[in-house]
Amino acid sequence: MKIPVIIDGQLVKVEKGTSVIKAAGIAGITIPTLCYHDALKPYGACRICMVEVIYQKQRRVVTACNFPTEAGMEVHTDTAKVREIRRMVIRLLLARCPDVPILKKLAQSMGIEDIKLKQKDEKECILCGLCVRFCDEVVGANAIGLSNRGIEREVTTPFKVLSGTCIGCGSCTYICPTGCIEMVVDGEKTGMRMEMGNISIDPCQDNYECETCDVDKEFMTTVKRVFAEFRNKYSSH
Amino acid sequence: MKKIRTHSDFERIKQEYLKKSSGRTIVLRTCLSTGCRSQKSVAVSEALWSSIEKKGLQDKIEIKQTGCHGFCEMGPIMVVEPQNIFYKKVTPDDTDEIIEMAANGGGVIDRLLWKDPVTKETVKCERELPLYKNQKKNVTYKSGRIDPKDIRDYIAAGGYEALIKVISTMTPDEVIDEIIASGLRGRGGGGFPTGVKWKICSESPGDIKYIIANGDEGDPGAFMDRSLMEGDPHSIIEGMIIGAYAIGAVQGFIYVRDEYPIAIDHLSGAITDAEEYGFLGNNILDSGFSLSLKIKRGAGAFVCGEETALIISIEGRSGMPRSRPPYPAVEGLWGKPTVINNVETFGNVPLIISRGREWYADTGTKNSKGTKVFSLVGKVRNTGLVEVEMGTTLREIVFDIGGGIRRDRSFKAVQTGGPSGGCIPMSRIDMPVDYDSLREAGAIMGSGGIIVMDETSCMVDVARYFVGFLMGESCGKCVPCREGLQQMYRILENISEGNGEEGDIDALLEVGQFMKTTSLCGLGGTASNPVLSTLRHFKSEYESHIFEKKCTAGVCKNLFDYYIDDKLCTGCSLCRIKCPEKAIEGKKKEPHVLDKAKCIKCSICFNSCKYGAILIT
Ligand SMILES: Cc1cc2nc3c(=O)[nH]c(=O)nc-3n(C[C@H](O)[C@H](O)[C@H](O)COP(=O)(O)O)c2cc1C
Ligand code: SF4
Ligand code: SF4
Ligand code: SF4
Ligand code: FES
């Protein structure tokens, strides 16, 4: 059943429960995101996608990436309040990660020159969790996770030791919006390694060939083919 | 065969137990809850046993090992019935005498009576203690009166009657209506109407539903939920069974933090006993309704008390909140409709069913019904667990029940609602305590912590402390809470170290307000309360820290000095003797002098001077 939703004055019809961000997409309106990806379950962590909705006479700010639409809902994606929230998200993230290009670009587009905050850091990872969720939900390798809480939180392999379950697909490096996971090509067997700050994620050292391995062999053949192609591409440079 | 199938089985068991215990007319109620245990109440209890055996009084005197009575500070405590004599700080050496007196039915041991610190009068009876007499004990009534490890004692005190009433005479919808009409609101912090939550869950489609009791209690200094779980586990279980019946749940969990071993022990014993008697398990009371209960132990992260994080933690993943909607009542544990309530909320349920919605709705204020249990701590004379009617004023709690401020200092503020609560100033002391008034004053009910502060508490430091705590407990998932708390902490640290600048107050307001509107879960959503509420009611204190570099409360070490007023100083030399840095000099009976350069501001002298001669500049 399709329901009517008004987004920035534009009427769209969507399936009930469609997230606000998808409904906005249908209306051709882009909402900035930092922790959202079409292929993943919404996470709602960066809060940059916040919009104002009016439903049943109640006005509130919600995250567009995971808030479900209801019939007759009004969505405003560019109010003064929304802009103020986005600016604050960027200011806070820049205080943590001053050199991340995507943040700098967003700051520029919002006209932020001075973040006007005191606590400053030099980190690269914004903790959007995209890499971790992609590795879990799409790749199914679960090689990386988020450990610790609060200010100590970080992306790492279990117990911070070399991961045996990374298949070396490189998805994390691809999806990371800040570029803080890098793929390094070396080694005869494995072909590549993911470097992330002070940890590196290595695909299996034994090339997934020993008896006890429960990795899908057929899948691994494909992965190995991709490895080989990748290696060839790099070595021909 | 203990399994109860009919009402007459129930009555028979109850009467048998009452008859068995009726011979022993003298009952010593000794507290074996965590507070008193830490003061060696186990040894006292053992000594009482051997004193009784020595005198061969086993048939006359009964020792009832109960849960928390509430006056933990005076532990180990005990009450001698029927005279209702209250003894405090009992030691194993006192037990022979106690038994002797009790057996003779007369006389009290003066040195073990509680003495009013102001009037210096002793109080003989438990029911006359100021801490107790101004309370209204409903939910905590049984804790301290029954043996929490004996289901028959609970039954004898009227327990499980509500369950029998529900199962034999009410439909699930009638139960829900009764709870809605009573006006019960969640005691875990949010204050959501419990009956409405049950209704939403019962109307959510699905064959499998769950019920969860939240006994995580992560607030530092709070112990209401622990006391209830330890002292009256069956009332929580009974409330859960009634809730499960109402929503159609077949499985339930009680989530208790692992730091509460006695609560876990008592609850698991209670579950086993309830199963044995047919209140839990398959075909409860021969009604066809079944429920199994399990205990889940939490690893003690504050954020795991948040309902979605708690559910994720039960599922075996790391406890991190997720966005709502969907609410747990619609999509909860393993994606199934789930009711999650605080343990005290469940403790209210049997009372409402037994005594009726009108009785319940008669207490409290318009929108906050019933009573609330608080842990009263801080600079008040009497600290402990208190239960009062909703709408009782802060003044009554602090002065009538708490006995006023220690050392005759002046009252400054109360902090309610745990770490993310707010501070309420003196000018609001006649405010009734209920969900709405607290919220209006910028604080929250939270799970029920009340910390009383006097003139020696610095509001900037209080805000800094709570923000620091929350910064360590934030799960770190969302930007406003993780980054916002760090920003606020840095600013507060600067201010309290004397490096505050123009603009700091505005920055705190800006970040604090932002966190409130944009955080993912309630932790971040309320984490700025300590800052925003102190800024609202004590702004001048921030300003004197920032602009005059003064902390008049004498807490922020860079921002004050001690000095000795030569008119007030009697030259008693106490401060000179106590000062660890030898910063105070002076001859006996002559005014002393404090050397600022040597003083490390440990406040020992300040707190020890009997003449108030040590002052703060
Ligand atoms: C950070 C945080 C911590 C919480 N801790 C607790 C807790 O320790 N105990 C509790 O009962 N509720 C706690 N809550 C509230 C729960 O999320 C939930 O609202 C409550 O268990 C619902 O029960 P009620 O309706 O009976 O209050 C907490 C909430 C937040 C945001
Ligand atoms: S490269 Fe390894 S860590 Fe990265 S997504 Fe693939 S399997 Fe996961
Ligand atoms: S490493 Fe990249 S993708 Fe992963 S959480 Fe950090 S910023 Fe996001
Ligand atoms: S508000 Fe804090 S505790 Fe809640 S999800 Fe965000 S970071 Fe975690
Ligand atoms: S994209 Fe919605 S919170 Fe990050």
Side-chain angles (χ1 to χ4, degrees), chain A residues 43-47 50 61 66-67 85 88-89 91-93 95-96 117-119 126-127 149-151 153, chain B residues 301 320 323 325 472-480 482-483 486-487 490 494 504 510 514 517-520:
Chain A
Y43 188 55
C46 71
R47 318 306 275 178
M50 288 199 119
V61 284
N66 56 12
F67 200 79
I85 289 173
M88 186 54 120
V89 170
R91 284 166 60 199
L92 286 169
L93 283 175
R96 174 190 171 89
L117 292 167
K118 288 222 169 79
Q119 169 71 37
I126 59 168
L127 295 172
R149 63 170 183 249
I151 46 179
R153 192 172 167 88
Chain B
M320 233 194 288
S323 305
E473 293 296 328
S474 151
C475 85
K477 178 172 176 177
C478 73
V479 172
R482 183 188 67 231
E483 307 296 335
Q486 282 183 75
Q487 294 295 342
R490 164 53 70 87
N494 280 351
D504 280 353
E510 188 185 18
F514 169 76
T517 35
T518 61
S519 291
L520 192 161

Side-chain angles (χ1 to χ4, degrees), chain B residues 351-368:
Chain B
L351 300 175
I352 295 170
I353 299 292
S354 299
R355 303 197 207 170
R357 58 170 96 168
E358 288 84 10
W359 168 80
Y360 195 81
D362 214 33
T363 46
T365 58
K366 185 161 165 276
N367 292 320
S368 307

Side-chain angles (χ1 to χ4, degrees), chain B residues 224-240:
Chain B
M224 324 38 89
D225 292 350
R226 184 190 74 204
S227 294
L228 193 62
M229 290 186 281
E230 288 178 358
D232 193 9
H234 282 288
S235 73
I236 298 166
I237 292 171
E238 187 178 0
M240 286 184 82

Side-chain angles (χ1 to χ4, degrees), chain A residues 125-131 155 176-178 180-181 196:
Chain A
C125 169
I126 59 168
L127 295 172
C128 66
L130 281 170
C131 55
V155 174
C176 175
T178 70
C180 70
I181 312 180
M196 191 191 305

Side-chain angles (χ1 to χ4, degrees), chain B residues 67-304:
Chain B
C68 180
H69 299 206
F71 211 171
C72 316
E73 185 195 1
M74 290 291 145
I77 59 177
M78 61 177 292
V79 179
V80 182
E81 299 288 17
Q83 299 109 303
N84 198 239
I85 302 166
F86 173 84
Y87 288 140
K88 57 149 199 12
K89 299 201 186 284
V90 182
T91 67
D93 296 337
D94 301 322
T95 58
D96 279 346
E97 207 177 334
I98 291 171
I99 297 297
E100 178 99 36
M101 295 263 192
N104 294 338
V108 288
I109 306 169
D110 274 331
R111 68 171 189 290
L112 296 179
L113 293 178
W114 182 79
K115 201 158 133 195
D116 191 306
V118 183
T119 63
K120 309 284 177 215
E121 275 167 25
T122 52
V123 175
K124 189 180 132 195
C125 289
E126 182 196 32
R127 64 178 92 88
E128 282 159 15
L129 289 172
L131 183 76
Y132 293 157
K133 78 174 175 205
N134 297 303
Q135 292 191 39
K136 190 176 184 80
K137 287 192 180 233
N138 285 350
V139 180
T140 54
Y141 181 81
K142 292 196 191 81
S143 173
R145 285 191 173 73
I146 60 166
D147 179 351
K149 292 177 109 166
D150 192 341
I151 188 171
R152 295 167 309 167
D153 215 27
Y154 179 70
I155 292 174
Y160 287 114
E161 260 164 25
L163 178 64
I164 289 181
K165 177 172 171 188
V166 160
I167 285 188
S168 51
T169 66
M170 294 170 88
T171 64
D173 283 338
E174 282 169 353
V175 176
I176 291 175
D177 287 345
E178 191 76 4
I179 301 296
I180 293 178
S182 74
L184 173 65
R185 292 171 67 175
R187 300 295 193 247
F192 192 82
T194 305
V196 176
K197 191 186 273 187
W198 291 12
K199 187 157 196 96
I200 295 170
C201 185
S202 103
E203 283 173 356
S204 295
D207 303 339
I208 300 174
K209 289 178 186 174
Y210 296 105
I211 191 152
I212 300 172
N214 186 343
D216 191 54
E217 195 168 55
D219 305 16
F223 54 96
M224 324 38 89
D225 292 350
R226 184 190 74 204
S227 294
L228 193 62
M229 290 186 281
E230 288 178 358
D232 193 9
H234 282 288
S235 73
I236 298 166
I237 292 171
E238 187 178 0
M240 286 184 82
I241 306 171
I242 295 169
Y245 176 80
I247 61 164
V250 290
Q251 170 79 58
F253 295 94
I254 309 179
Y255 191 91
V256 193
R257 54 173 34 219
D258 209 29
E259 288 94 327
Y260 286 176
I262 304 171
I264 292 172
D265 179 42
H266 289 188
L267 281 167
S268 37
I271 290 175
T272 314
D273 291 346
E275 281 166 354
E276 204 174 314
Y277 278 74
F279 298 126
L280 268 178
N282 280 330
N283 194 15
I284 292 170
L285 301 170
D286 214 16
S287 64
F289 160 63
S290 304
L291 174 72
S292 104
L293 276 190
K294 280 204 181 82
I295 292 176
K296 281 277 170 185
R297 296 186 299 177
F302 178 63
V303 74
C304 283

